[in-house]
Each structure stands twice: as structure tokens, then as C-alpha cells.
Amino acid sequence: MKGKEYSVTKSRDLFNRAENLLPGGVNGNIKFRNPFPIFLSRASGSHIWDVDSNEYIDYNLSYGALILGHSHPVIVRALKDAIDNYGTLLFGNPNVSEIEFAELLLNIYYKDGRIRFTNSGMEATLLAVRLGVAYTGKRKVGKFDGHYHGANPLLLSNYRPTKGRDVKGKIVKEADSIEIQRDLLDSIVVLPFNDIEGTKEVLEREDVGTIILEPFEDGYIPANTDFMNFLRQYTKERGIVLIFDEVKTGFRVRIGGAVEYYSLRPDLICLGKIIGGGTPIGAVLGKTEIMELLDPRRENERRVFHSGTFNGNPLSMSLGIATVNELISGNNFLKIQRLSDELRKEISGVLSDLGISHRMYGEGGIVNYTLSDDVIKTYRDISKKNMENRKKIDSMLTGMGVYLIPGSRFSMSIAHSESDISETVASIKVAVKRLLDRNEL
Ligand SMILES: Cc1ncc(COP(=O)(O)O)c(C=O)c1O
């Protein structure tokens, strides 16, 4: 158990340097921490080290991407094999690894469907929506309040809006980035998550052709089964293209993601993160009739153009294949699920012992909790105070060697161990007690 808080002076020095080169010292808005992020220098398995030689148990795992942990032997081998076998990391022309990975993913997620690889989750969500618009000929896209689909301007509204609801109790549409102007926002229809009547009411008014959602909001707040069944049924009856954004949930809530969890087949699925085995990747897969719009042999007026220098590169394909094969072999996914169940149970036990109201969330390899026993249906149900308290606990944990994004979910990997879990839970106990003693919770 760690009681002493870490010193991070070298991280601060690097941040001072970075800040004069990179806006805010980072390469992505979500990578900033106040007053500065820690700079990492090394990783192995479930552990990471910062430039001040502090060691952490890593539950961020690069925002959930590294389900095998850091430098897993199958990944190291696949990396070496890729360069040995191919003699390059980039062909620019088709390569057999694209076929092998396509077969593997389609077999799990969309038998008889088609797939197109991209280089990020954001590119995948953008492409999926473009396909939906092209297929239906309808420009309006439904996205759910509170759902994140990457830094893609079309879908970058109402992720974490600052405005509440209007006088009639309706969610107010709000861009998350200042360059997003009226004309783009006009094509977006914001829908209330886990609210059948509210969603129906908006959809009856708006001529929406495509709907995208995170089946688990923020990776951990589940869509109610009734809500998912309603959405699938409603969209099917009206010819609306339904997209599951499984960039977080793919290979994480189940091997077959939310598609397997809910036993539902959307029209398109977006994957990312885990399927790159640590390299940049994204993928859109789904119904052949829609995906075939990408076929370059189609005449221009019947074709969706999409391309990318790095799409389907043999490095990402090889590491992705190695990751998926490792996950589906033996009881590996089950092991991740068991470790997550254990962490959920242990955190709940500690919080109960300390008299802290809470509720546990998460499926498969995702663990999370809220500091209230009320059931939440969307992020809006978490009070500001409870979120602030949760962030206080997590920030204190960072200083004690347990790393996750404050207020966010724990991502589990095959590399985590029972002793990681005991250490994590012991640290949570110390952090919560300390905050209680200071009257800060
Ligand atoms: C649900 C979801 N969709 C899309 C994205 C964007 O993926 P990327 O960061 O690879 O662009 C993310 C990233 O966190 C995500 O969680």
C-alpha cells in the first residue's frame, strides 16, 4: 500500500518545455491534466513509470486501447514478424494481412458484411455517418446527448454541454468546439439517451436518416435493453441507418462488443482502439449493401469516396490480428472479466465499509462507480458534487501509484494481477479515509 504522495518535478519541467511548443503542452485536449499531465517514460504489463521514476498501475491503458497491457509477448513477436516477413511497415498496395484481419473481424462482428479500415476511431465514425447519409439520401444525423464519437466536427456536439435543458425540459443543442457553425449543427439532431418516449418524440419531428450511439455511454452507462430493442425496431421499420460506435466497447464489454451483449445487429459498426494492438486504427463494418457504396468501381455519382495513405497498413493489421487471436484464445477474455468482477466487488466493499454511498458499473473489462446509490441512466444524472468528489479520489490515487483519468472508468487488461487489485483497493481506502478526515468528501 502506498501512503506517500509522489514527486513529479521532472514532469513539470518537461511540461514547461512542451507548453512552448504544443498548445497546452499536449497533442489532444483530453490529454491535459490540471496543472500539468505526468510524462511517461516506460511501461511493462499493467505498469507504467513516469520521468520521475514513479511507478503506477495503469487503468487508463491508453484510453482502453491496450487490453493485453503493455509489451505483451504476442505483440512484441507480431511486431518483429511484421518487419521480418514483409520487410516494410507500409506497402501502399493491398497486402494479405488486410484480408486476414477482415475475415477475423467480420467473422466475430458481421458475418457476410464488409469492412473498411481507417486510422482512428474518429475517422471511422465520420465515415460511418457519411455512408449513412449517402445510403439514405437524408442529411440529418441523430446523435445522443453525452455520447463521444471522436474529434469529428459532424458529431462534436453535446458531448459535455454547458447548457442544461430549455424551459420545456428539452436538451439544448450545443457545439463542443467553436468553429462548428449553424449549417453543420443544423444537420445534427440531439437525442436523449435511455429515453424511449423522448427519442421517439424528436424522431417524429425530424427527418433523420442515420443514428449513431455509444451502446454504453462513456463506456460504462448501459443502454437499457428495452431502449436498444426500441431503437433497432424503430430504425429498421423506417429505413434509418443505425450505427453502433463500439470504439470503446468493441472487444471490451464482450469479445463481440455491445453487438454480442445486446444480441442486436446494427447496420454499421465502428471499431477502433483495441483492434490496433497499440497502433493507430479504426474500422467501419456492416451491411454489404451500404458498405458497397465504397467500391471504387462504382460510377462517381453512386460512390462514396474514402481513402488514406495508412489505411490497412501491415503493422496495424498484424498487431490487430495478434491481439484478437490472443483475446479469443483459451480463457483470456474470461480472465479479464473475472479480474474486473473482483475489482468491482472489492471497491464496493471498501466504500461500504467506509459508509460511502455508491453504485458499481461496467461490463466485461470495464469497471466504474458513482458516489451515489441512485441508478443513473445518463451522465446528466451524476451530480456535480459527486463527480467532483470522485475526481478528488482519483487525483489522490495518481499520487499513490494508481493511474486512471480522474472521474473516468478503469480499463482492465490481461496483464493485471490479483496483487494489482489488492494494491488498488488498499490505495482507494487510504485516499477516501484521508479525504473524509479532511472533511473533503
Ligand atoms: C466511442 C468513441 N468513438 C470514437 C472515438 C475516437 O477514437 P480516436 O480517438 O481513435 O479517434 C473514441 C475515443 O475515445 C470513442 O471513445
Side-chain angles (χ1 to χ4, degrees):
M1 188 206 308
K2 300 189 170 93
K4 196 167 152 285
E5 293 201 14
Y6 284 175
S7 153
V8 287
T9 51
K10 287 187 183 155
S11 275
R12 194 195 49 221
D13 292 347
L14 283 181
F15 180 72
N16 290 343
R17 221 172 114 197
E19 155 176 67
N20 291 320
L21 304 162
L22 310 165
V26 289
N27 274 307
N29 290 32
I30 60 167
K31 299 190 179 187
F32 180 75
R33 302 279 161 274
N34 208 7
F36 57 86
I38 52 168
F39 281 67
L40 299 177
S41 57
R42 199 164 67 79
S44 175
S46 58
H47 287 226
I48 46 178
W49 285 262
D50 69 15
V51 286
D52 290 278
S53 303
N54 299 310
E55 182 176 353
Y56 306 83
I57 304 169
D58 186 9
Y59 289 106
N60 180 38
L61 294 174
S62 214
Y63 301 88
L66 299 173
I67 199 153
L68 301 184
H70 298 273
S71 52
H72 189 286
V74 305
I75 292 296
V76 175
R77 197 178 327 123
L79 191 64
K80 286 191 180 128
D81 286 352
I83 193 76
D84 287 350
N85 295 341
Y86 298 132
T88 182
L89 297 178
L90 200 57
F91 283 118
N93 258 44
N95 167 256
V96 68
S97 60
E98 294 164 69
I99 301 174
E100 287 169 1
F101 202 21
E103 283 169 347
L104 190 56
L105 292 176
L106 286 171
N107 194 37
I108 298 171
Y109 277 84
Y110 220 102
K111 289 197 176 62
D112 305 321
R114 298 285 184 273
I115 185 166
R116 171 65 63 92
F117 289 104
T118 66
N119 299 297
S120 68
M122 178 266 264
E123 287 178 38
T125 59
L126 182 56
L127 177 61
V129 166
R130 289 176 59 208
L131 284 166
V133 170
Y135 183 73
T136 59
K138 293 185 178 178
R139 112 192 141 88
K140 291 214 171 175
V141 174
K143 69 102 39 195
F144 285 88
D145 178 57
H147 290 205
Y148 182 65
H149 304 290
N152 149 12
L154 192 58
L155 298 170
L156 207 51
S157 50
N158 284 70
Y159 170 52
R160 284 294 176 268
T162 53
K163 297 187 188 109
R165 293 174 184 258
D166 67 13
V167 281
K168 290 186 188 148
K170 300 267 169 349
I171 290 166
V172 179
K173 185 156 50 174
E174 189 180 333
D176 295 312
S177 188
I178 57 169
E179 85 290 359
I180 299 170
Q181 305 284 333
R182 206 60 279 151
D183 52 342
L184 195 55
L185 266 189
D186 279 350
S187 61
I188 290 299
V189 174
V190 179
L191 301 166
F193 186 54
N194 268 335
D195 176 353
I196 296 180
E197 287 314 311
T199 298
K200 217 191 270 180
E201 202 246 311
V202 179
L203 292 176
E204 305 284 285
R205 268 191 282 122
E206 303 271 5
D207 195 18
V208 165
T210 305
I211 294 180
I212 186 165
L213 88 158
E214 281 194 87
F216 284 71
E217 183 179 296
D218 250 356
Y220 73 96
I221 307 174
N224 297 328
T225 310
D226 286 352
F227 181 73
M228 285 300 260
N229 289 337
F230 148 75
L231 206 56
R232 180 59 289 193
Q233 185 70 18
Y234 187 96
T235 50
K236 195 176 257 174
E237 283 167 7
R238 287 158 183 80
I240 297 171
V241 170
L242 180 63
I243 306 167
F244 283 6
D245 178 354
E246 296 236 41
V247 170
K248 279 193 199 83
T249 50
F251 291 100
R252 218 173 232 300
V253 296
R254 292 288 182 272
I255 283 180
V259 170
E260 179 184 330
Y261 182 85
Y262 290 104
S263 296
L264 286 175
R265 194 166 155 100
D267 300 299
L268 296 174
I269 300 166
C270 299
L271 293 174
K273 295 194 191 279
I274 286 176
I275 63 160
T279 62
I281 202 165
V284 179
L285 52 155
K287 216 181 221 170
T288 302
E289 204 181 315
I290 306 176
M291 294 299 295
E292 288 292 343
L293 291 172
L294 289 166
D295 186 337
R297 295 167 298 187
R298 290 172 78 97
E299 289 157 22
N300 280 2
E301 58 274 17
R302 297 177 54 236
R303 192 188 67 196
V304 169
F305 179 84
H306 167 260
S307 203
T309 302
F310 299 101
N311 290 356
N313 69 78
L315 177 65
S316 297
M317 299 296 104
S318 303
L319 269 52
I321 291 168
T323 301
V324 172
N325 279 336
E326 184 64 12
L327 266 185
I328 61 181
S329 78
N331 288 327
N332 281 342
F333 194 80
L334 202 61
K335 184 188 164 203
I336 296 170
Q337 271 183 303
R338 285 209 188 108
L339 284 168
S340 306
D341 289 344
E342 171 92 6
L343 183 61
R344 248 177 250 119
K345 190 174 119 235
E346 294 291 321
I347 293 177
S348 182
V350 157
L351 294 175
S352 297
D353 289 349
L354 293 169
I356 303 283
S357 302
H358 65 280
R359 186 170 283 274
M360 302 307 299
Y361 289 88
E363 267 301 326
I366 292 178
V367 175
N368 210 347
Y369 66 95
T370 52
L371 289 171
S372 155
D373 52 16
D374 295 339
V375 177
I376 53 163
K377 290 196 312 189
T378 80
Y379 76 100
R380 284 187 188 254
D381 298 334
I382 305 174
S383 74
K384 204 164 163 240
K385 178 105 184 78
N386 283 341
M387 182 47 88
E388 274 167 13
N389 283 343
R390 176 59 206 281
K391 286 184 178 170
K392 280 187 209 163
I393 298 173
D394 295 345
S395 301
M396 198 171 265
L397 287 179
T398 305
M400 296 163 71
V402 176
Y403 187 66
L404 71 155
I405 307 302
S408 188
R409 62 200 185 279
F410 293 70
S411 290
M412 192 64 75
S413 79
I414 193 83
H416 281 88
S417 64
E418 297 279 343
S419 74
D420 286 335
I421 291 179
S422 332
E423 196 169 323
T424 302
V425 174
S427 298
I428 292 176
K429 192 170 181 178
V430 172
V432 172
K433 270 185 163 169
R434 202 174 277 172
L435 288 164
L436 284 173
D437 287 348
R438 294 184 196 162
N439 260 336
E440 286 182 29
L441 269 192

